[in-house]
Amino acid sequence: MTVTPEITPLTALPPKTFGDQRMKVTFLPVIPEDLDSISVAVLNAGIESSCRLAKDGTTFRFTASETINEAAICEPAGAQAAGRDNYEATANIFRFWDPTNPGNADAEGDALFSALRVKGSTGVFVIRYTGKKWDAPWAAGDEYQAFVVASDNWSMPDNPHEGYMKATVPLMVSNAEANGVATA
């Protein structure tokens, strides 16, 4: 006897969202206790970094987890399990200079670079990638990923004579949260 599965019509999906200008990046110089539920007040008080980071050369992502290849005698050969998480992060930061004294950095504009310029500086990058635009303030329920970082020595671009002045800061990620939700 053959059983015919019930056919359910597809429901209409909402329109797809164009990804450009939908990533909000906030830097927190103080590492919160719970990465999975950072408060809106803490997030909105952080350094808004979306316009301080160049699209090219800036990366925050989870990479493939390490694998554990220790099958039990009863398991098929080659059985694998996910092990430790791995991450990759680099901040390509625009530099901002004081218009009245161009030999000095602008305190507000250059805040992100100042927070990471010394090797070993720590903090958390929190990234919201949703249908909201980058300039919408954080709100309860916003999904995010968070990356606890320590900075390495920064460098100038390969060709510092092209484009805007930037500093590339390699980041070492010691912890991260893939599925954080902002709390009230």
Side-chain angles (χ1 to χ4, degrees), residues 1-90:
M1 177 173 163
T2 304
V3 177
T4 307
E6 246 182 76
I7 297 177
T8 306
L10 294 175
T11 58
L13 295 172
K16 293 181 276 201
T17 302
F18 188 59
D20 196 34
Q21 298 182 352
R22 301 289 184 217
M23 181 183 288
K24 181 176 191 68
V25 181
T26 300
F27 180 74
L28 306 176
V30 177
I31 301 167
E33 193 172 308
D34 294 320
L35 282 183
D36 62 344
S37 58
I38 303 171
S39 76
V40 170
V42 169
L43 290 165
N44 284 325
I47 299 171
E48 171 51 52
S49 303
S50 304
C51 291
R52 290 179 167 99
L53 294 166
K55 286 181 185 179
D56 291 337
T58 296
T59 304
F60 298 99
R61 67 174 150 233
F62 286 78
T63 59
S65 297
E66 293 178 15
T67 55
I68 299 169
N69 297 311
E70 294 183 22
I73 293 173
C74 64
E75 292 178 307
Q80 293 182 335
R84 291 186 199 174
D85 292 337
N86 289 308
Y87 323 99
E88 178 180 58
T90 302

Side-chain angles (χ1 to χ4, degrees), residues 58-125:
T58 296
T59 304
F60 298 99
R61 67 174 150 233
F62 286 78
T63 59
S65 297
E66 293 178 15
T67 55
I68 299 169
N69 297 311
E70 294 183 22
I73 293 173
C74 64
E75 292 178 307
Q80 293 182 335
R84 291 186 199 174
D85 292 337
N86 289 308
Y87 323 99
E88 178 180 58
T90 302
N92 199 12
I93 305 171
F94 288 114
R95 296 296 315 274
F96 295 89
W97 303 97
D98 183 342
T100 58
N101 185 356
N104 291 334
D106 179 80
E108 184 178 343
D110 220 38
L112 180 61
F113 178 71
S114 294
L116 294 169
R117 75 178 300 148
V118 176
K119 181 178 179 177
S121 298
T122 59
V124 179
F125 277 98

